[in-house]
Amino acid sequence: MKKLLVAVLSVILAAATTFTAKSQEKVKTENRNDDAWSNSGGNHVPGTWMAYIEDQKVYIRFTGEDWSAERSFPIAELGTLPTGDGTFALTREAGAITFKGTFEGGKGHGFYTFAENAPFKSYLEEKGYSAPDKELMLNIFLTDVNKSYFEFMKANGYDEISNSQLKDLAQQNLNRKVLGDYFNLFKTEDGGHPSIEKMVDLREHGSHTHIHTHSL
């Protein structure tokens, strides 16, 4: 009798363990399917995006193969956003992003593709920036680095920007608005002229200007 009871308990325990394992596997699978478009990283080709609208701006999180970035754009720059499934695009000097997905109730998600602007890439190479790869070109695009960006930097005393400095400026989203805030900050505090490295460091580690990753 005792042996029979032990055998029955063993069968029940094995069945419960199998059920629990399958349930956990199902939950993981369901979560992966439901949230695949919102995961950081992942081998998404094309890239994925998710967004929300607030104060006449569209805040978008971009996710690539092993990176993610957040930017905001005036609604007007993106044109007419779809209601439900559809497409929209953003074009700048560095290239163009085409978005495909769904927008409902001020929120959206889907997939995007980025196409470089070959003439602008040639312009960068002529300025001495050696073969910028697609990731750097996308960061340049998102930071809105264009010809007038270099004119703006030159007007503020930055005649030469190295390859590594350009990469840092683009990766940290140091666009003209953010840079202008830093220039004014240093003028107000000590009248100094900050190095690019100093501004990159402040941006990377956060400064008391409280400029967050969505700033334009």
Side-chain angles (χ1 to χ4, degrees):
M1 183 68 180
K2 184 176 180 182
K3 290 182 178 180
L4 177 61
L5 180 60
V6 170
V8 171
L9 289 174
S10 298
V11 170
I12 292 173
L13 180 60
T17 302
T18 302
F19 176 79
T20 301
K22 288 185 176 180
S23 298
Q24 290 175 342
E25 182 180 354
K26 182 179 180 183
V27 169
K28 288 179 181 179
T29 301
E30 288 177 346
N31 287 343
R32 184 171 65 248
N33 291 338
D34 290 343
D35 298 333
W37 56 270
S38 65
N39 290 339
S40 295
N43 295 315
H44 300 299
V45 179
T48 61
W49 64 271
M50 62 180 180
Y52 66 92
I53 301 172
E54 185 177 288
D55 298 330
Q56 298 302 306
K57 289 183 179 180
V58 182
Y59 294 85
I60 304 178
R61 178 186 177 92
F62 298 87
T63 302
E65 291 186 359
D66 56 3
W67 68 279
S68 64
E70 299 177 9
R71 298 290 189 272
S72 68
F73 309 90
I75 292 178
E77 189 178 10
L78 293 172
T80 303
L81 298 175
T83 301
D85 295 337
T87 63
F88 59 102
L90 175 64
T91 302
R92 290 175 165 176
E93 281 188 33
I97 286 182
T98 300
F99 299 86
K100 293 183 179 181
T102 300
F103 246 107
E104 291 286 356
K107 295 181 180 179
H109 63 86
F111 298 92
Y112 73 88
T113 55
F114 172 64
E116 303 170 355
N117 181 357
F120 185 74
K121 187 172 183 177
S122 296
Y123 163 80
L124 292 176
E125 292 172 345
E126 290 170 3
K127 286 182 67 67
Y129 301 110
S130 55
D133 60 24
K134 191 163 186 176
E135 182 180 346
L136 177 55
M137 287 299 296
L138 178 56
N139 280 317
I140 285 172
F141 171 91
L142 292 174
T143 306
D144 202 12
V145 175
N146 50 28
K147 292 179 181 179
S148 62
Y149 181 94
F150 292 102
E151 294 171 1
F152 170 80
M153 293 297 287
K154 186 174 182 179
N156 283 278
Y158 302 89
D159 295 334
E160 299 294 332
I161 299 173
S162 69
N163 275 278
S164 61
Q165 288 173 333
L166 177 62
K167 183 176 181 179
D168 288 340
L169 289 167
Q171 287 182 337
Q172 294 299 323
N173 193 27
L174 280 162
N175 53 55
R176 278 172 288 180
K177 171 64 171 63
V178 176
L179 287 168
D181 289 340
Y182 279 129
F183 296 155
N184 292 332
L185 174 68
F186 278 88
K187 287 177 183 177
T188 301
E189 290 191 348
D190 59 13
H193 185 264
S195 66
I196 289 177
E197 289 74 18
K198 176 65 174 177
M199 293 186 290
V200 168
D201 185 64
L202 287 172
R203 181 67 162 164
E204 185 175 6
H205 295 97
S207 72
H208 64 279
T209 55
H210 300 295
I211 307 168
H212 71 47
T213 56
H214 293 312
S215 300
L216 285 177

